[in-house]
Amino acid sequence: MYIELEIDTGMKFLIWALCLLGWLSVGAQPLTPEKARADMKFLKRKLDRLYPGIGHYAPQANYERLYDSLVNQAAPPVSYHDFFQRQVVPLIASLKDGHLAVMHARDYIIRPYRYFPFEVRQVGSRYYISHNLSADTSLRRGTEILALNGEPFAAIHETLQRYHRGGNDGDLTAGARTRSLVYFPVYYLWWYGPQTYVTLTCRTPGDTTVRDATVSCLTSGQLHRYAVRRYRSEMKSTLPNLAVRKIDSLPGTAVLRIETFSNSSRDWFGLRYNRQLRKAFTEIKDQNVQNLVIDVRNNGGGTVLNAVRLLSYWMPQPFQLMEPGVIKRGGRSAYVKAWNPFTWMLFPVFYKKDPSGGFRERPAPPKRKPQQELAYRGNLYFLVNGASYSATTSVLAKTLDAGLGTFVGEPSGGAYWGDFAGQFQYVTLPNSGIRVRIPLKKLIHAVNPKNANGFTVEPDFTVDRTLDDILQGRDYLLHRTLELVKQGKLAEREAKRRQSLSTELSSSR
């Protein structure tokens, strides 16, 4: 059985967090009003100069008014944490871009890192423990969490959705809702700071009694040991990236896991990724798979080239994934360095002036030719959730544009039109040390807007988790998708496309 388990053997989401975030030191010095204003002005100048998305998802006038209210407020010295929460994060969150990121200052890292020791999943308006990685064995799977440290859990979840915009563009809700639970231990520390203990107000399955339970926050190593001890069989059943598993109960059906589009270490050009992808589709062909379930849940993106490589296995005609990207005039500084004469010579080769006042990539490369020998022409089912983002949304949008695929689960976290990504610049605020990752490039999907089914890629079949799914440790989304396969159900556009192809084939005979 394939079990959904976002905590894998390497605790990858925690490793990602350590690379991305530093945690607030309790002994941080307050910022004077002058230093706080200087940091905000510095951030605004950088955003205005570099970021091409101002005004795209929310009116620029709103952004300007918010900035004025934040920078001009008369206040006594402010703590680092208050400055982070009440000024820097709200300004960035107001732009509604999932690629913009706010990171704590490097100087405030403390060790060891300790995390909230549970995986939590939502059913309706309620929250339940799906995996207990704490020492308290009484907090078993299906325990409902009502509050955390005295604050309603729903209110905490709402706060994290509002202010941590990672992997969620525009006014979407699925991306923020899903990611803030999948990565809850990381998001919670990001917003509330490090803690030694947490107190849960909860009730166990089948019991109406509400009780408090205080548990220790644990290191990644401790969490991993509990995961192995309690959920070893589930962890073993989790497919690694680019792995294929045949579904024995449904002949001609297989699952392909696409966990990331990023290259592994030392695979700078993605050659290993390309070989693994080819190996997967060779296996799919050899097994005569007619129903291919592609699992892109929690795939936050990666290298666009790898996304193009994947698409080439089912796109019927030569295709282009992206239109030429655009950067602001100030973004040129990220490519052209005064100390490197080669960058001065190469920049005009790849970019030309754009009517917007910035620069546009010179004509896109030739269209990608589809695979011939290993081309897949069977039914495609995509397992999607709100944490499917960036290059993953690009794959989904291009597939939808071609009239292919059946999407099952939740809306993707990204936009059908494209995103702001491709190249980034990290800036450090001079007084607080807070870091901000700023996307430099506007990337537009080479798709027809008329083929969209919403702002993002919406599911053809929406699937919601139930409490029984949690209690049984069931991969509810795959379970429901295999039922669709068994019933022969496809997206309406896919069914019409196949009927049209069948009619054309019959006529040609």
Side-chain angles (χ1 to χ4, degrees):
M1 176 183 287
Y2 182 91
I3 304 295
E4 178 192 29
L5 182 60
E6 279 80 29
I7 296 183
D8 62 14
T9 55
M11 301 297 290
K12 292 182 179 178
F13 75 91
L14 293 178
I15 294 174
W16 167 84
L18 296 184
C19 295
L20 184 64
L21 303 173
W23 302 124
L24 180 64
S25 170
V26 175
Q29 295 297 316
L31 292 166
T32 65
E34 293 75 21
K35 287 185 176 181
R37 280 195 291 270
D39 271 11
M40 291 299 290
K41 290 178 180 178
F42 176 86
L43 175 58
K44 176 88 164 30
R45 285 197 302 270
K46 290 293 186 180
L47 288 170
D48 291 348
R49 183 167 177 263
L50 300 172
Y51 178 56
I54 294 175
H56 188 89
Y57 290 125
Q60 183 169 350
N62 293 357
Y63 160 74
E64 299 289 350
R65 281 195 296 270
L66 176 61
Y67 168 76
D68 288 340
S69 69
L70 293 172
V71 79
N72 293 323
Q73 58 183 263
V78 61
S79 72
Y80 169 93
H81 208 182
D82 283 349
F83 179 63
F84 180 87
Q85 283 190 337
R86 298 177 184 177
Q87 296 190 51
V88 177
V89 171
L91 184 67
I92 295 299
S94 73
L95 295 169
K96 300 183 179 182
D97 183 352
H99 280 101
L100 273 169
V102 183
M103 295 158 282
H104 283 292
R106 295 183 186 277
D107 293 342
Y108 298 103
I109 296 175
I110 61 173
R111 294 175 184 274
Y113 309 116
R114 295 186 179 277
Y115 302 95
F116 176 79
F118 303 95
E119 279 209 347
V120 180
R121 294 295 177 263
Q122 186 175 6
V123 178
S125 61
R126 296 184 174 185
Y127 299 86
Y128 300 92
I129 293 174
S130 66
H131 295 85
N132 176 7
L133 304 179
S134 76
D136 188 341
T137 56
S138 70
L139 299 171
R140 63 185 187 272
R141 175 176 275 166
T143 296
E144 182 181 0
I145 302 179
L146 304 174
L148 177 55
N149 288 342
E151 185 177 358
F153 198 91
I156 295 173
H157 189 207
E158 174 62 31
T159 296
L160 296 180
Q161 291 179 73
R162 184 185 313 124
Y163 290 116
H164 198 307
R165 296 289 307 181
N168 192 95
D169 289 338
D171 292 322
L172 292 171
T173 58
R177 182 179 65 248
T178 300
R179 287 179 67 92
S180 54
L181 287 181
V182 170
Y183 303 113
F184 185 85
V186 174
Y187 279 35
Y188 188 72
L189 275 170
W190 175 84
W191 187 253
Y192 291 92
Q195 300 179 47
T196 305
Y197 301 94
V198 291
T199 298
L200 278 64
T201 303
C202 57
R203 53 186 168 217
T204 53
D207 190 350
T208 59
T209 304
V210 175
R211 68 183 180 97
D212 287 342
T214 300
V215 296
S216 299
C217 293
L218 302 178
T219 66
S220 59
Q222 290 170 322
L223 293 175
H224 175 64
R225 285 192 287 275
Y226 279 121
V228 171
R229 186 184 308 170
R230 295 173 183 166
Y231 308 108
R232 184 188 298 271
S233 62
E234 296 181 27
M235 295 167 73
K236 285 182 177 179
S237 69
T238 302
L239 288 177
N241 194 39
L242 302 176
V244 178
R245 192 182 70 241
K246 188 177 180 181
I247 304 298
D248 294 332
S249 60
L250 281 175
T253 302
V255 177
L256 169 62
R257 173 64 175 150
I258 307 293
E259 182 182 44
T260 180
F261 289 108
S262 296
N263 297 322
S264 58
S265 59
R266 299 185 181 181
D267 186 23
W268 297 297
F269 302 105
L271 299 180
R272 181 184 176 192
Y273 195 104
N274 197 32
R275 288 195 299 270
Q276 289 179 306
L277 197 56
R278 185 173 181 83
K279 178 182 177 182
F281 276 91
T282 299
E283 186 176 347
I284 289 166
K285 181 179 180 180
D286 291 344
Q287 293 181 2
N288 193 27
V289 173
Q290 299 303 310
N291 298 294
L292 180 60
V293 179
I294 299 181
D295 186 355
V296 292
R297 289 172 293 179
N298 307 329
N299 184 336
T303 304
V304 172
L305 176 58
N306 289 333
V308 171
R309 286 166 169 159
L310 176 64
L311 281 165
S312 70
Y313 283 93
W314 62 73
M315 292 295 286
Q317 303 293 334
F319 67 96
Q320 181 178 320
L321 180 59
M322 298 287 186
E323 302 287 352
V326 178
I327 63 173
K328 295 184 80 167
R329 184 175 181 180
R332 180 176 179 270
S333 62
Y335 300 84
V336 177
K337 305 298 182 183
W339 48 267
N340 189 339
F342 291 104
T343 61
W344 289 82
M345 292 185 290
L346 289 176
F347 186 81
V349 175
F350 295 104
Y351 286 88
K352 62 182 178 180
K353 288 186 178 181
D354 185 72
S356 66
F359 298 91
R360 180 179 294 271
E361 289 178 318
R362 291 194 178 272
K367 290 185 176 182
R368 178 84 177 201
K369 293 182 179 180
Q371 292 284 334
Q372 298 296 324
E373 177 190 358
L374 298 176
Y376 181 77
R377 296 293 180 257
N379 297 321
L380 286 169
Y381 293 84
F382 291 86
L383 305 188
V384 184
N385 66 3
S388 305
Y389 186 62
S390 195
T392 304
T393 300
S394 301
V395 168
L396 298 173
K398 193 65 183 177
T399 302
L400 173 63
D401 181 58
L404 302 173
T406 297
F407 306 107
V408 187
E410 297 180 338
S412 168
Y416 177 82
W417 72 265
D419 55 28
F420 300 97
Q423 184 81 8
F424 299 88
Q425 185 155 316
Y426 291 79
V427 301
T428 302
L429 307 192
N431 296 301
S432 63
I434 293 170
R435 295 168 290 152
V436 178
R437 185 186 69 179
I438 302 177
L440 300 179
K441 191 179 294 187
K442 182 178 183 180
L443 298 175
I444 302 173
H445 295 147
V447 294
N448 186 341
K450 294 180 180 180
N451 293 330
N453 64 359
F455 174 81
T456 183
V457 177
E458 298 285 343
D460 300 298
F461 297 95
T462 300
V463 179
D464 296 318
R465 182 187 282 107
T466 67
L467 177 56
D468 189 57
D469 290 327
I470 292 177
L471 293 173
Q472 299 299 324
R474 181 188 300 127
D475 183 347
Y476 73 105
L477 190 49
L478 179 62
H479 179 73
R480 307 298 196 282
T481 301
L482 294 181
E483 288 181 349
L484 294 175
V485 173
K486 187 175 182 179
Q487 296 164 11
K489 290 186 177 180
L490 298 169
E492 185 177 348
R493 66 178 174 282
E494 176 73 356
K496 288 181 177 179
R497 188 185 70 85
R498 290 197 169 276
Q499 180 62 41
S500 177
L501 289 174
S502 177
T503 301
E504 290 178 8
L505 183 59
S506 297
S507 300
S508 65
R509 292 176 179 175

